[in-house]
């Protein structure tokens, strides 16, 4: 027997529940206790009824009120279950509750007469009404529980089956007893009708019980069966009670009452006592029911014939006894025969239609199997293939007849056979309800001698297996290619960041986890951007491919070279297991130096152009317990330290590198909340008129005093954050705070304009719309010309057209424009030519060397001359010594700010300086520059009123 055959021949384990635990359909411990209690109570009542209860009074009480209490318990139980549980069977349980309540009320009336009033129950009383109302709700409830027919023919058959059973029982009972009751002589009509009503309703109830037995729904079968048994027991007791012999000698508390008592308690137990099975167990039970369905179907098919036989027995009884056949018996028998004929005709037509439909479906499925591109195989429990669909010739290259009779193991690749056997064994051990199918992928031998990747959906089939197989060789190859593409760089074919990180993680686990010689190299090509800009991206790609080849050839076979993105590469150098860490570090550093020299050799790209790039390399060694992400981060930090130290060098990671990053990160994190915590303060530095020494304006500057008491300048705290949103928020705060304080100073007579530095990018940002500045000026009532915006951005990518429109709009509001940092960068000439500028601020670099450098003096003098000819004010920033004041004033500079006059002042010291309003100027003769008043613009307009 083959390996799969050995597995198939084994009996599946599981599915019967664990030992000691209830299996599907098996009652739990609580349900078992309820059953025991039910048996004990019913046995006690039966014993008491058999022995006469010890006294006639107690017998009457238990026979009347005992039955009333039992029926009331059933009514309450069914009612509560119907209220709590929602579903299709809910109306049935509510009807059972009403039916039991009627029985309880009828027995209570009997007890009232016999126990309380101590008199006999009248022949016609309200108790009879209650007892008659017991059967109709029960009948309707049984109809609710029955499986609903889906066609009109089904409804007709249901009605015919009910009549067949009811008519036959009516014929038999009429022949035996009811005929004599019907031919009343001395009894009143009402009493005779009441005598006939009990057995007729019982016949209908029995008919519904028998019909429901074959047509009951599969939902909660245990509760339904228990309810049917309870009603059947009640009907049986009713039938015995209606017999003339027993009814004449009946008294409350006798043994017959035990049947009614047990029926009521059984109905009370029905909805609650049976343990609810889970969906999987229900499916198993449903599968077991399907196996027993032929027996139930045979009994259902025999029902019409059994009914006709019962009807015939009723007629024969009258004939044998020599009685005249009653017209009721003849009429009922004829209708039963007619119903049987009609039902058989319907069933004959239904069978013909089903046979035709079955033939069509068989032809349909045969064509599907034969025309399907999937191969369908059926393996016997021994592992031998019993059926193979014709598609095998197209998929496997082998005829189906050739495969039939061969072992399944002979088709499977030996390397995959173990996995297939394991999966089949696991699949057969699981319950079919939990896992009806499984999927297996393995390699099958084809008729061409090669191996095909085949995916099969496996189902159980009569102890064996059905394989629905398809060729997925192309898909497997495509998946392998996609997997390779997902893990490798498309340009250089080196492993990408994801694969490199996974291999680093593997190197830090397993047997290499304690090897400190494992190292990661992060490599960045210095000067690559210049090659891209000068020769184009094609040349840059060519250079990257050559660099990747050099890197791959320079590492050992077990090491990994990868491209992380752009011009960044990495290498994983596995440790050799040695314990001399110093020697290993020296060895890896030598490898890194050789790699740096290799990558720095000239490259020939784009048809022969020779280019050179350098390599900055950071090295980080594995430490005990270090994670892959931390090791990669350490190597990255070391690489950035190599670039910051001058490039084209190798740097080893040191812990202080991480400490510096942590400090910058913490500083950036504190900066995010500093503005809301009130840690920012606004300082102002006076701008002095070099002709008079008076304060002509103040320059607003923000300072951050952290919670630790450290004072940071903008150059310090803005360098640690890349949060543009935070920078924009700080700019908005600076603008509003400066305007508000300037308006307060103007209100007390200090009208020195305030200067605020804003970048061109911030001016064009939508977070600072034009209307916000206008509303700000109007809200605080700042006079026209009291706000100066210093344009502080030399980015050539800024669109000058948009910037010009924005500045023109600001000047219409009375805002003056200053060009900050003139003399540095390449944007100055374009800015002077295109932008509406009122004030020119000299770059600090020009001011610092204006005394020592004759060349800088000539450049500065030329810049000042240009500003004077364009009618602009000039401000020298960073004037810290008197010599610079003298030199700048001699060259024609009109204003200056710096430590030569005053540093940044808080509001109190600024107001004192404005009151004094004069700083001493070094030199004897004041210089008057031009004939324009200081810090005025020809295009100023008044601020709109608020």
């Amino acid at each position: 027997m083959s390996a799969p055959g050995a597995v198939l021949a084994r009996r599946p384990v599981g599915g019967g529940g664990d030992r000691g635990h209830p299996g599907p359909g098996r009652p739990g411990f609580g349900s078992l206790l309820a059953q025991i209690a039910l048996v004990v109570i019913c046995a006690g009542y039966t014993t008491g009824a058999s022995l006469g209860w010890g006294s006639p009074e107690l017998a009457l009480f238990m026979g009347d009120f005992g039955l009333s209490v039992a029926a009331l318990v059933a009514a309450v139980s069914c009612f509560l279950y119907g209220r709590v549980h929602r579903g299709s069977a809910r109306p049935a349980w509510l009807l059972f509750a009403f039916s039991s309540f009627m029985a309880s009320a009828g027995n209570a009336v009997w007890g009232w007469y016999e126990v309380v009033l101590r008199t006999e129950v009248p022949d016609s009383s309200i108790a009879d009404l209650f007892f008659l109302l017991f059967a109709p709700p029960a009948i309707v409830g049984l109809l609710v529980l029955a499986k609903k027919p889906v066609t009109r023919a089904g409804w007709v058959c249901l009605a015919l089956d009910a009549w067949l059973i009811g008519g036959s029982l009516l014929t038999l009972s009429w022949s035996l007893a009811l005929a004599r009751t019907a031919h009343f002589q001395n009894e009143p009509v009402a009493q005779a009708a009441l005598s006939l009503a009990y057995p007729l309703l019982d016949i209908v109830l029995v008919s519904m019980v028998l019909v429901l037995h074959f047509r009951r729904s599969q939902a909660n079968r245990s509760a339904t069966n228990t309810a049917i048994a309870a009603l059947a027991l009640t009907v049986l007791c009713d039938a015995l009670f209606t017999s003339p012999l027993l009814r004449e000698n009946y008294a409350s508390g006798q043994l017959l009452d035990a049947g009614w008592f047990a029926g009521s308690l059984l109905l009370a137990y029905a909805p609650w006592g049976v343990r609810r099975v889970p969906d999987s167990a229900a499916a198993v039970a449903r599968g077991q029911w399907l196996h027993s369905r032929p027996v139930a179907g045979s009994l259902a098919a025999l029902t019409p014939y059994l009914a006709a036989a019962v009807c015939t027995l009723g007629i024969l009884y009258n004939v044998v006894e020599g009685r005249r056949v009653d017209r009721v018996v003849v009429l009922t028998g004829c209708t039963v025969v007619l119903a049987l004929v009609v039902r058989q005709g319907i069933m004959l037509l239904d069978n013909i239609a089903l046979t035709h439909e079955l033939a069509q479906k068989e032809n349909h499925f045969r064509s599907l199997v034969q025309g399907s591109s999937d191969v369908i195989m059926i393996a016997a429990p021994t592992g031998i293939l019993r059926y193979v669909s014709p598609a095998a010739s197209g998929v496997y290259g082998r005829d189906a007849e050739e495969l039939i009779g061969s072992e399944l193991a002979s088709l499977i690749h030996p390397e995959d056979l173990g996995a297939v056997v394991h999966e089949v064994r696991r699949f057969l051990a699981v319950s079919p309800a939990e896992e009806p199918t499984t999927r297996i992928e393995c390699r099958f031998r084809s008729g061409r001698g090669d191996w095909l990747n085949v995916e099969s959906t496996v189902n159980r089939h009569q102890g064996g297996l059905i394989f629905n197989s398809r060729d997925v060789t192309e898909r497997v190859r495509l998946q392998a290619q996609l997997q390779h593409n997902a893990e490798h760089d498309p340009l250089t074919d080196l492993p990408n960041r994801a694969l490199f990180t996974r291999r680093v993680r593997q190197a830090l686990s397993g047997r290499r986890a304690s090897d400190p010689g494992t190292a990661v190299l992060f490599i960045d090509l210095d000067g690559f951007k210049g090659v891209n800009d000068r020769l184009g991206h094609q040349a840059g790609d060519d250079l990257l491919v050559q660099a990747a080849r050099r890197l791959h050839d320079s590492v050992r076979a077990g090491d990994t070279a990868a491209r992380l993105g752009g011009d960044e590469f990495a290498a994983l150098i596995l440790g050799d297991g040695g314990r001399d860490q110093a020697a290993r570090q020296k060895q890896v550093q030598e490898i890194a130096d050789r790699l740096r020299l290799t990558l720095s050799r000239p490259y020939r790209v784009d048809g022969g152009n020779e280019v050179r790039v350098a390599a900055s390399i950071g090295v980080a060694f594995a430490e005990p317990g270090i994670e892959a992400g931390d090791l990669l981060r350490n190597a990255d930090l070391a690489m950035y330290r190599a670039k910051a130290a001058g490039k084209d060098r190798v740097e080893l990671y040191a812990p202080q590198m991480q400490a510096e990053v942590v400090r910058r990160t913490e500083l950036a994190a504190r900066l995010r909340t500093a503005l809301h915590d009130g840690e920012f303060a606004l300082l102002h530095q006076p701008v002095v008129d070099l002709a008079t020494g008076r304060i002509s304006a103040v320059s607003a500057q923000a300072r951050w005093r952290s919670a630790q008491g450290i004072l940071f300048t903008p150059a310090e705290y803005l360098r640690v954050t890349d949060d543009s949103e935070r920078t924009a928020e700080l700019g908005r705060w600076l603008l509003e705070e400066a305007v508000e304080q300037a308006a307060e100073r103007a209100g007390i007579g200090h009208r020195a304009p305030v200067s605020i530095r804003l970048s061109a990018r911030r001016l064009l940002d939508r977070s600072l719309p034009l209307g916000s500045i206008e509303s700000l000026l109007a809200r605080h009532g700042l006079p026209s010309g009291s706000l100066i915006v210093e344009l502080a951005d030399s980015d050539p990518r800024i669109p000058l057209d948009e910037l010009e429109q924005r500045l023109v709009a600001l000047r219409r509001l009375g805002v003056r424009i200053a060009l900050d940092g003139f003399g540095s960068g390449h944007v100055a000439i374009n800015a002077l030519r295109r932008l509406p500028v009122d004030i020119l601020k000299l770059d600090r670099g020009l001011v610092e060397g204006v005394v020592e450098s004759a060349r800088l003096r000539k450049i500065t003098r030329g810049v000042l001359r240009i500003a004077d000819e364009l009618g602009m004010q000039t401000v020298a920033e960073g004037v810290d010594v008197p010599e610079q004041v003298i030199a700048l004033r001699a060259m024609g500079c009109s204003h200056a700010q710096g430590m030569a006059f005053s540093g940044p002042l808080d509001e109190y010291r600024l107001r004192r300086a404005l009151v004094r309003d004069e700083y001493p100027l070094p030199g004897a003769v004041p210089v008057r520059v031009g004939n324009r008043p200081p810090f005025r613009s020809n295009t100023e307009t008044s601020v709109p009123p608020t």
Side-chain angles (χ1 to χ4, degrees):
M1 186 182 297
S2 64
V7 175
L8 297 179
R10 296 180 55 184
R11 294 179 60 87
V13 297
D18 296 334
R19 182 171 296 179
H21 297 278
R26 187 186 305 172
F29 183 71
S31 179
L32 186 61
L33 287 179
Q35 293 176 6
I36 294 175
L38 178 65
V39 172
V40 169
I41 293 173
C42 292
Y45 191 96
T46 303
T47 303
S50 301
L51 300 177
W53 295 104
S55 67
E57 291 79 7
L58 182 60
L60 288 175
F61 182 86
M62 294 302 297
D64 294 333
F65 288 112
L67 293 182
S68 178
V69 170
L72 184 62
V73 170
V76 172
S77 174
C78 294
F79 178 76
L80 292 178
Y81 183 82
R83 287 288 303 273
V84 174
H85 292 79
R86 306 284 179 177
S88 59
R90 179 172 179 260
W93 294 108
L94 295 178
L95 288 169
F96 291 155
F98 180 76
S99 175
S100 299
F101 182 75
M102 292 295 101
S104 175
N107 283 296
V109 172
W110 271 63
W112 175 262
Y113 281 108
E114 292 186 340
V115 177
V116 179
L117 300 181
R118 298 182 179 276
T119 182
E120 293 184 358
V121 181
D123 293 336
S124 299
S125 66
I126 193 173
D128 295 318
L129 176 62
F130 288 135
F131 286 137
L132 288 176
L133 291 178
F134 164 79
I139 294 171
V140 178
L142 290 174
L143 284 174
V144 173
L145 288 179
K147 185 178 180 181
K148 305 298 185 300
V150 295
T151 61
R152 294 181 180 178
W155 284 104
V156 173
C157 288
L158 176 62
L160 291 175
D161 289 343
W163 172 245
L164 284 171
I165 297 174
S168 60
L169 292 178
L170 177 62
T171 302
L172 183 61
S173 58
W174 190 276
S175 301
L176 294 177
L178 295 182
R180 284 175 291 178
T181 304
H183 294 287
F184 54 88
Q185 296 177 355
N186 299 324
E187 294 183 0
V189 176
Q191 180 64 31
L194 187 63
S195 301
L196 289 175
Y198 283 116
L200 291 178
L201 286 175
D202 287 339
I203 289 173
V204 176
L205 194 56
V206 169
S207 303
M208 295 310 304
V209 168
L210 292 176
V211 171
L212 181 62
H213 175 72
F214 299 111
R215 290 181 175 270
R216 59 186 179 274
S217 174
Q218 297 303 312
N220 199 4
R221 288 174 57 85
S222 299
T224 303
N225 290 337
T226 307
I228 292 175
L231 293 175
L233 181 59
T234 303
V235 169
L236 177 62
C237 294
D238 288 345
L240 294 176
F241 174 75
T242 55
S243 63
L245 179 62
L246 192 60
R247 187 169 185 177
E248 292 174 358
N249 300 322
Y250 170 78
S252 297
Q254 292 182 351
L255 188 61
L256 184 62
D257 291 346
W260 282 317
F261 184 84
S264 296
L265 291 188
L266 194 61
L267 184 61
Y269 168 79
W272 304 97
V274 180
R275 187 176 68 88
R276 295 294 171 270
V277 297
D279 294 340
S280 59
V284 174
R286 190 180 302 112
Q288 296 173 353
W289 175 79
L290 289 176
H291 288 295
S292 62
R293 188 174 180 180
V295 178
S298 300
L299 293 176
L302 291 176
T303 301
Y305 304 103
L306 293 176
V310 171
C311 183
T312 305
L313 288 176
I315 298 175
L316 290 178
Y317 176 79
N318 285 282
V319 174
V320 171
E321 291 291 327
R323 301 176 184 173
R324 183 177 61 83
V325 179
D326 195 282
R327 285 180 295 177
V328 174
V329 174
V330 175
L331 180 61
T332 305
C334 291
T335 55
V336 167
V337 173
L338 180 61
L340 178 62
V341 173
V342 173
R343 188 185 186 282
Q344 291 302 110
I346 294 175
M347 295 300 297
L348 179 61
L349 295 176
D350 195 18
N351 288 336
I352 293 174
L354 288 177
T355 303
H356 181 67
E357 183 179 357
L358 180 61
Q360 287 184 338
K361 289 184 176 181
E362 183 178 356
N363 294 331
H364 176 68
F365 284 110
R366 182 182 293 109
S367 62
L368 286 178
V369 170
Q370 294 180 352
S372 174
S373 59
D374 293 352
V375 180
I376 299 175
M377 300 183 298
I378 299 178
T382 58
I384 304 299
L385 294 177
R386 297 187 308 186
Y387 173 80
V388 179
S389 66
S393 59
V395 177
Y396 298 149
R398 305 173 66 176
D399 293 336
E401 292 77 7
E402 179 185 351
L403 294 175
I404 295 176
S406 61
E407 291 186 356
L408 185 61
S410 63
L411 295 175
I412 302 174
H413 195 284
E415 296 179 0
D416 300 338
L417 184 58
V420 172
V421 171
H422 178 270
E423 176 60 23
V424 171
R425 182 178 300 170
R426 184 204 62 79
F427 173 62
L428 293 178
V430 178
S431 171
E434 296 179 2
E435 189 174 359
T437 63
T438 188
R439 192 178 300 273
I440 295 177
E441 188 169 334
C442 61
R443 286 169 288 180
F444 270 38
R445 186 189 301 276
S446 71
R448 298 175 293 273
D450 57 346
W451 295 97
L452 302 176
N453 293 93
V454 175
E455 181 185 67
S456 302
T457 302
V458 185
N459 295 269
R460 300 172 180 86
H461 177 68
Q462 297 179 358
L465 295 174
I466 297 179
F467 292 83
N468 190 354
S469 306
R470 64 202 61 88
D471 183 9
V472 293
T473 305
E474 290 300 325
R475 191 194 71 185
V476 171
R477 292 173 182 172
L478 179 59
Q479 287 178 343
Q481 183 63 41
L482 292 176
Q483 183 71 18
H484 178 86
N485 294 341
E487 296 178 341
H488 289 77
D489 177 60
L491 178 64
T492 63
D493 204 37
L494 289 180
N496 58 13
R497 184 183 293 272
L499 180 57
F500 183 76
T501 303
R502 184 161 68 249
R503 291 188 179 178
V504 172
R505 189 178 296 112
Q506 293 172 355
L508 297 178
S509 60
R511 61 184 180 87
R512 295 184 179 273
S514 59
D515 190 351
T518 299
V520 170
L521 279 61
F522 259 53
I523 306 157
D524 186 85
L525 300 182
D526 304 320
F528 172 74
K529 186 177 182 302
V531 175
N532 253 351
D533 295 341
R534 189 172 72 255
L535 300 178
H537 290 281
Q538 182 61 42
D541 291 347
D542 194 7
L543 188 150
L544 291 175
V545 171
Q546 296 183 45
R549 189 179 303 116
R550 294 182 187 182
L551 177 60
H552 181 268
D553 294 340
S554 300
V555 298
R556 298 172 303 180
D559 299 334
T560 301
R563 183 192 177 201
L564 305 183
D567 58 346
E568 288 189 354
F569 294 85
L572 172 63
I573 310 298
L574 299 177
D576 55 4
R579 294 297 174 184
D580 191 348
Q581 184 66 13
R584 179 58 177 168
Q585 287 185 0
K586 182 179 179 181
Q587 180 184 6
V588 172
Q589 190 166 8
E590 290 176 355
I591 294 174
D593 279 324
R594 289 197 302 269
L595 184 58
R596 179 182 61 83
L597 295 175
T598 300
L599 295 175
S600 300
R601 293 202 310 266
Y603 296 86
R604 290 198 173 274
V605 297
D606 195 20
N609 292 322
E610 183 176 297
V611 296
R612 288 179 178 270
V613 294
S616 296
I617 302 178
V619 182
F621 286 91
E623 301 172 359
I626 193 172
E627 299 291 337
D630 296 334
L631 182 58
L632 295 176
R633 180 204 60 204
N634 294 344
D636 197 15
L637 291 175
M639 185 268 290
Y640 277 107
R641 175 58 64 89
K643 294 179 73 68
K647 302 180 180 180
D648 193 18
R649 56 187 294 126
V650 176
E651 285 285 343
L652 298 181
Y653 169 77
Q656 57 267 27
M657 297 180 185
Q658 178 62 23
E660 181 180 351
V661 172
V662 171
R663 186 190 69 83
R664 292 168 62 90
T665 304
E666 292 177 351
L667 188 61
R670 292 203 303 268
L671 178 61
R672 293 188 180 97
T673 59
L675 188 60
H676 299 284
D677 294 343
E679 297 181 6
F680 274 89
L682 191 63
L683 303 181
H684 294 84
Q685 188 174 29
V687 178
V688 179
D689 190 333
L690 294 183
T692 63
R694 302 187 63 182
I695 300 176
S696 58
V698 292
S699 177
Q701 301 174 12
R703 293 292 186 272
W704 174 29
R705 186 177 297 278
S706 67
Q708 291 75 21
I710 304 175
L711 186 66
F712 296 99
T713 63
E716 294 172 326
Y717 60 72
L718 291 180
R719 186 173 58 247
V720 302
T721 180
D722 294 328
D723 192 350
S724 58
E725 181 180 354
R726 198 65 53 202
T727 306
E729 185 179 1
L730 180 59
R732 290 192 294 269
W733 174 85
L734 174 63
L735 178 62
E736 184 161 355
E737 194 75 12
V739 170
E740 182 179 359
Q741 294 185 14
E744 292 177 359
R745 290 193 298 270
I748 60 175
H750 301 307
R751 297 184 176 277
V754 62
S755 176
I756 302 172
R757 179 174 297 179
L758 294 175
S759 67
R761 187 176 299 279
R762 185 60 56 200
L763 280 173
L764 296 178
D765 194 351
R766 293 184 177 180
S767 63
L768 187 66
L770 176 62
S772 63
I773 298 179
E774 180 179 1
S775 62
L776 183 65
L777 297 176
R779 184 169 69 251
H780 294 288
L782 190 65
S784 177
S786 298
L787 178 62
I788 303 172
V789 173
E790 297 180 10
L791 195 61
D793 200 334
S794 59
D795 191 347
R797 294 171 294 180
I798 296 296
L800 289 180
D801 293 336
E802 296 182 17
L803 183 59
E804 181 181 6
Q805 295 176 5
R806 186 65 190 274
L807 295 179
V808 169
L810 287 175
R811 293 185 73 192
R812 292 196 186 102
L813 298 175
V815 178
R816 283 174 288 172
I817 309 301
L819 186 61
D820 187 32
F822 190 84
S824 66
H826 58 277
V827 77
I829 300 301
N830 282 334
L832 285 178
R833 184 173 61 88
R834 298 283 302 279
L835 302 179
V837 178
D838 302 308
I839 303 168
L840 194 64
K841 298 193 70 172
L842 298 182
D843 184 70
R844 187 182 294 268
L846 294 178
V847 176
E848 288 176 350
V850 74
V851 177
E852 296 83 3
S853 174
R855 187 180 184 88
L856 281 181
R857 284 198 298 272
K858 293 179 180 179
I859 295 174
T860 304
R861 185 177 293 110
V863 170
L864 293 173
R865 187 180 301 114
I866 293 173
D868 184 62
E869 292 179 357
L870 292 176
M872 297 180 183
Q873 301 284 344
T874 54
V875 178
E877 188 177 10
V879 180
D880 297 332
V881 295
E883 292 79 5
Q884 293 174 342
V885 176
I886 296 171
L888 289 170
R889 188 173 58 181
M891 287 186 286
C893 185
S894 60
H895 299 79
Q897 69 180 83
M899 298 303 295
F901 304 103
S902 172
L905 304 174
D906 58 18
E907 186 66 18
Y908 173 75
R909 290 182 176 83
L910 175 63
R911 292 190 180 186
R912 290 184 57 187
L914 290 174
V915 171
R916 189 173 60 249
D917 196 21
E918 188 175 356
Y919 285 99
L921 296 174
V925 182
V927 178
R928 181 171 180 80
V929 180
N931 53 10
R932 298 176 61 230
F935 277 48
R936 295 292 297 172
S937 172
N938 295 329
T939 59
E940 290 179 2
T941 58
S942 60
V943 179
T946 58

